[in-house]
Amino acid sequence: MSNLLEYENRYYDLGYDYIIGLDEAGRGPMAGELVVAGVIFPKGFYDERIFDSKQLTAKKREAMYQIIIENALAYHIEVISVEDVDQLNVYSASQKGMEKCCQILKKEKMFALTDAMPLHDIEHLSIIKGDTLSMSIAAASILAKVTRDHLMIDYAKKYPQYGFEKHKGYVTKAHKEALRKYGPCPIHRKPFKPVQEVMKEQISLNLDI
């Protein structure tokens, strides 16, 4: 218990009344939105099952999603469009998403814990691998991951040829093969290298016709 609440308790002891954990899902994929989440738990709340979303099965993430939203004092999930990700880049989009979560959930004497993301004009601590060291950050990672997975499963119905329900938009062999075969769809991130390569190939083929 002390390990996963070490950072939360440190800032409670420094006089803060609220700790918000922040994380994202979807910085690496070449398709789909970026999702950022913020979670504030009541002081003293602890559940040892809340851990880094990447180390939980899909079934466990779904179960923990419900537990988190039922027990959180407040939470917010920010979905950032593909267009905004393309315009801002994934790093800046993640940063802005976290800052917006803080603005929406703003409380007096609140301190933010982020998963390796510095913020502007917000009292915070950026923690490398924070989703394995802070329960609040881990909770945010679960909300973001589950939300994004649901979005990609829905996109799989609209664009079944890409297999989004399997790889969730990440750069896998199967995804790259589908991208080359069918070309980019509206949710592919245009600045990403594999998408850029296919777009250039298409332009080259069109010029040769």
Side-chain angles (χ1 to χ4, degrees):
M1 176 176 176
S2 60
N3 287 339
L4 279 180
L5 290 181
E6 176 185 351
Y7 291 100
E8 285 84 345
N9 289 335
R10 177 189 302 178
Y11 288 95
Y12 282 135
D13 290 345
L14 288 173
Y16 293 93
D17 292 332
Y18 301 96
I19 307 297
I20 180 171
L22 298 155
D23 203 357
E24 50 70 31
R27 280 179 67 175
M30 59 179 177
E33 291 95 341
L34 176 72
V35 179
V36 178
V39 179
I40 302 173
F41 284 118
K43 187 175 182 178
F45 174 79
Y46 176 71
D47 190 317
E48 64 183 3
R49 297 170 296 176
I50 298 174
F51 197 60
D52 173 17
S53 64
K54 296 185 293 297
Q55 299 189 42
L56 301 178
T57 64
K59 186 176 180 180
K60 286 183 178 178
R61 285 195 297 266
E62 293 284 348
M64 295 317 301
Y65 181 99
Q66 293 301 321
I67 288 171
I68 290 164
I69 64 175
E70 288 168 6
N71 287 278
L73 188 65
Y75 70 92
H76 177 69
I77 300 170
E78 186 74 15
V79 179
I80 301 167
S81 71
V82 174
E83 292 76 16
D84 284 345
V85 172
D86 285 356
Q87 182 179 3
L88 294 167
N89 74 53
V90 288
Y91 181 90
S92 295
S94 298
Q95 187 179 60
K96 287 182 180 297
M98 291 185 186
E99 290 171 352
K100 187 168 182 180
C101 285
C102 289
Q103 292 165 4
I104 289 172
L105 299 176
K106 186 176 181 179
K107 296 181 181 295
E108 289 188 17
K109 300 179 75 174
M110 183 177 81
F111 191 86
L113 301 175
T114 77
D115 186 19
M117 177 59 71
L119 305 177
H120 299 111
D121 303 320
I122 293 169
E123 291 187 285
H124 74 284
L125 179 68
S126 171
I127 307 170
I128 296 174
K129 296 185 178 180
D131 47 7
T132 66
L133 299 172
S134 158
M135 190 187 70
S136 300
I137 297 175
S141 79
I142 292 170
L143 294 194
K145 173 65 174 168
V146 170
T147 299
R148 190 176 189 282
D149 282 356
H150 288 181
L151 290 171
M152 297 309 296
I153 290 169
D154 286 341
Y155 280 130
K157 299 170 187 175
K158 188 173 183 179
Y159 308 107
Q161 66 271 39
Y162 297 99
F164 289 133
E165 75 282 4
K166 297 177 182 178
H167 51 66
K168 307 301 189 297
Y170 282 86
V171 185
T172 65
K173 182 180 178 181
H175 190 184
K176 288 194 290 185
E177 288 175 352
L179 179 63
R180 291 192 191 96
K181 184 175 181 180
Y182 300 106
C185 74
I187 68 163
H188 277 103
R189 299 176 180 176
K190 306 305 184 290
F192 273 54
K193 186 176 179 180
V195 182
Q196 281 279 317
E197 290 173 350
V198 170
M199 291 171 67
K200 289 177 182 177
E201 288 173 7
Q202 290 181 331
I203 292 171
S204 177
L205 286 171
N206 290 333
L207 291 174
D208 290 340
I209 294 174

